[in-house]
Amino acid sequence: MNGIFKLAKVSAAICLVVLGASPVFAADMSKFAAELNRIEDRLAIEAAWARYPDAIDTADADAYAALFTQDGVMVCCGQTVRGREAIRQFIADFRNRSKFDQLPPEADGRRFSPVRHVVTSLNLQIDGNTAASESYWMEIMDNGKDKDGVGNLPSVLNMGRYEDQWVKQDGKWLIKKRVVVHGLGPGAARRATKPR
């Protein structure tokens, strides 16, 4: 996909040079190039946003932390974690507590928790080298297998939304701040009644 955008930008630049005598054409090509940049930025943010569920569901601390800026902030479950290294350690600790290394590996060697995150409904506003987004998340719980080895129906463990601030650094979109809002599901009810 990146190659297509580069080709389009080169083509637009050539057209600007060749047909640059026409101010109307040059203005149209400039708008075209700006629109290509906006689309490219959106796709890059969507790609980073889509890597998040895999990183959390495999408790890959390095992949998870790599989604954030060096001074990134994550607010989750009443905790504020500041800095990429602290975020990496937060996920590494989660991996250890959850005993990920004892889970059976998939064919590719990765280990997944019995919970899968589903992210959807990305609402994204880009403003130059910064962006803001909201999206929904849902945790689906694998409920194991019955006595015959047939998978039990999964269930919804929790739901909520992500409130994200993004920044483009060195051509790469990263999360500057993520607030995890727990909205629905039994987890939200427990948090509403338990002191933090």
Side-chain angles (χ1 to χ4, degrees), residues 131-153:
S133 69
E134 282 194 4
S135 55
Y136 293 124
W137 58 265
M138 187 181 336
E139 292 176 330
I140 306 295
M141 182 72 169
D142 173 359
N143 289 315
K145 297 180 180 179
D146 65 16
K147 60 181 175 51
D148 298 321
V150 177
N152 294 317
L153 288 175

Side-chain angles (χ1 to χ4, degrees), residues 57 100 103 112-116 140-143:
D57 292 343
F100 261 76
L103 296 171
F112 284 86
S113 79
V115 175
R116 297 291 193 281
I140 306 295
M141 182 72 169
D142 173 359
N143 289 315

Side-chain angles (χ1 to χ4, degrees), residues 23 60 182:
D60 185 334
H182 291 85

Side-chain angles (χ1 to χ4, degrees), residues 1-7 9 33-47 126 168 171 173:
M1 185 68 75
N2 222 3
I4 292 171
F5 284 108
K6 287 179 183 172
L7 179 62
K9 287 179 180 179
E35 183 62 12
L36 277 178
N37 281 333
R38 191 190 68 73
I39 293 168
E40 189 175 33
D41 284 339
R42 181 174 182 90
L43 289 174
I45 291 171
E46 287 178 358
I126 301 171
K168 190 175 186 180
W173 283 96

Side-chain angles (χ1 to χ4, degrees), residues 55 59-68 84-85 87-89 91-92:
D60 185 334
D62 293 330
Y64 190 97
L67 295 168
F68 289 81
R84 183 184 285 165
E85 180 51 33
I87 291 169
R88 193 200 70 70
Q89 191 59 53
I91 299 301

Side-chain angles (χ1 to χ4, degrees), residues 74-152:
M74 181 179 63
V75 180
C76 178
C77 306
Q79 275 188 278
T80 300
V81 185
R82 297 182 187 280
R84 183 184 285 165
E85 180 51 33
I87 291 169
R88 193 200 70 70
Q89 191 59 53
F90 181 85
I91 299 301
D93 291 345
F94 165 70
R95 182 182 183 91
N96 290 335
R97 280 193 317 274
S98 303
K99 301 181 179 172
F100 261 76
D101 294 329
Q102 295 176 18
L103 296 171
E106 302 259 323
D108 65 2
R110 294 183 303 161
R111 290 177 165 85
F112 284 86
S113 79
V115 175
R116 297 291 193 281
H117 285 74
V118 177
V119 293
T120 186
S121 305
L122 178 65
N123 182 2
L124 176 63
Q125 296 85 36
I126 301 171
D127 184 13
N129 287 330
T130 62
S133 69
E134 282 194 4
S135 55
Y136 293 124
W137 58 265
M138 187 181 336
E139 292 176 330
I140 306 295
M141 182 72 169
D142 173 359
N143 289 315
K145 297 180 180 179
D146 65 16
K147 60 181 175 51
D148 298 321
V150 177
N152 294 317

